[in-house]
Amino acid sequence: MLRNGSYWACVCQIAVIPSTGKIVVEKYTIAVDPGIVVNPIALKRNVEGGAIMGISHALFEELIFNESGITQDDWISYPIPTMSDVPEIKVVLLHNPKVGAYGGGSEAANALAAPAIAAALQDATGKVLRRLPLKPTYVQALLKT
């Protein structure tokens, strides 16, 4: 994927628990080629944060609303991951000074989790879920079809 002047790629290893529909991301590898990498430690940390945020979007976060607007008024009904939900994350930084440019990092990493997890789900089960987040109730219903 090309985003903010950087090239991105992501793969993950998941476990699917058929009886509950729960998806557990076990390993997550994300690579970025922004051209010139000035501060690799800061970029790595930003990519890790973006990856966790993307995993949260893919598996947990769902805003409930009706015709009049948002119906959620607390954080309890809007789950986000806990530390136990964070997988092993490997960040691969490709320093490519020949490009002669500085691409973006950080939040671009958010966009890769959902398609990587959905692709892993399809690989594991043969099923395609076209709804986010990949909540257990949705996955469980899909597995029964």
Side-chain angles (χ1 to χ4, degrees), residues 12 14-16 20-25 54-62 113-122 127-140 142:
C12 63
I14 66 167
V16 182
T20 64
K22 182 176 181 177
I23 294 175
V24 177
V25 180
I55 291 167
S56 183
H57 294 160
L59 297 181
F60 301 105
E61 297 182 39
E62 182 174 36
I117 295 168
L121 176 66
Q122 182 180 4
K127 305 284 186 172
V128 178
L129 185 59
R130 301 188 186 277
R131 178 178 181 169
L132 291 176
L134 301 168
K135 286 194 165 186
T137 53
Y138 306 151
V139 174
Q140 195 173 34
L142 178 75

Side-chain angles (χ1 to χ4, degrees), residues 5-28:
S6 297
Y7 289 94
W8 295 83
C10 178
V11 295
C12 63
Q13 177 181 318
I14 66 167
V16 182
I17 303 164
S19 61
T20 64
K22 182 176 181 177
I23 294 175
V24 177
V25 180
E26 297 175 332
K27 295 182 181 181
Y28 190 92

Side-chain angles (χ1 to χ4, degrees), residues 7-89:
Y7 289 94
W8 295 83
C10 178
V11 295
C12 63
Q13 177 181 318
I14 66 167
V16 182
I17 303 164
S19 61
T20 64
K22 182 176 181 177
I23 294 175
V24 177
V25 180
E26 297 175 332
K27 295 182 181 181
Y28 190 92
T29 301
I30 186 166
V32 58
D33 179 356
I36 299 169
V37 176
V38 175
N39 187 334
I41 293 171
L43 179 57
K44 179 180 183 285
R45 289 177 180 156
N46 276 289
V47 171
E48 287 170 337
I52 294 167
M53 187 174 220
I55 291 167
S56 183
H57 294 160
L59 297 181
F60 301 105
E61 297 182 39
E62 182 174 36
L63 188 62
I64 307 299
F65 58 92
N66 62 24
E67 297 81 23
S68 64
I70 297 171
T71 59
Q72 288 168 305
D73 58 2
D74 60 49
W75 288 107
I76 294 169
S77 61
Y78 188 84
I80 59 173
T82 63
M83 290 303 291
S84 65
D85 297 311
V86 176
E88 174 186 325
I89 298 175

